Amino acid sequence: LSPILFKNLVMLSILNLNHNYLTYLPDNLFKDLTKLTILNLSNNLIKQLSKTLFEMLNVLKILDLNKNRIEYL
């Protein structure tokens, strides 16, 4: 996924990326999604997450990382 993929979606509140075979999430991927309240990343192949990946998601209520391959947080 490109780091600018969601750049113009500043009002987005729900994002469902489940079942997409994602393996990697760029550091700044969600930085412009400040209104995001639900993020579903379940059922992918994600192995690790950056410390700053969710940094700008201050109103996030639900984060689903179920069924990934995360080795550590």
Side-chain angles (χ1 to χ4, degrees):
L1 298 174
S2 167
I4 60 168
L5 181 65
F6 304 118
K7 185 169 180 62
N8 295 318
L9 299 174
V10 295
M11 297 305 291
L12 188 72
S13 64
I14 298 173
L15 179 58
N16 187 351
L17 294 172
N18 70 331
H19 292 281
N20 278 289
Y21 299 99
L22 299 175
T23 59
Y24 172 74
L25 301 172
D27 276 350
N28 296 319
L29 183 62
F30 305 121
K31 76 173 185 156
D32 295 312
L33 301 181
T34 57
K35 306 274 190 216
L36 197 67
T37 57
I38 300 173
L39 176 56
N40 186 348
L41 295 167
S42 66
N43 297 289
N44 282 292
L45 302 170
I46 302 167
K47 287 187 177 182
Q48 66 183 64
L49 301 167
S50 160
K51 288 181 180 182
T52 59
L53 182 62
F54 307 115
E55 194 170 70
M56 299 305 292
L57 303 181
N58 295 324
V59 296
L60 188 69
K61 301 287 185 207
I62 299 171
L63 171 61
D64 191 345
L65 295 168
N66 196 33
K67 296 190 180 174
N68 274 285
R69 297 181 179 177
I70 300 172
E71 297 171 354
Y72 63 90
L73 291 175

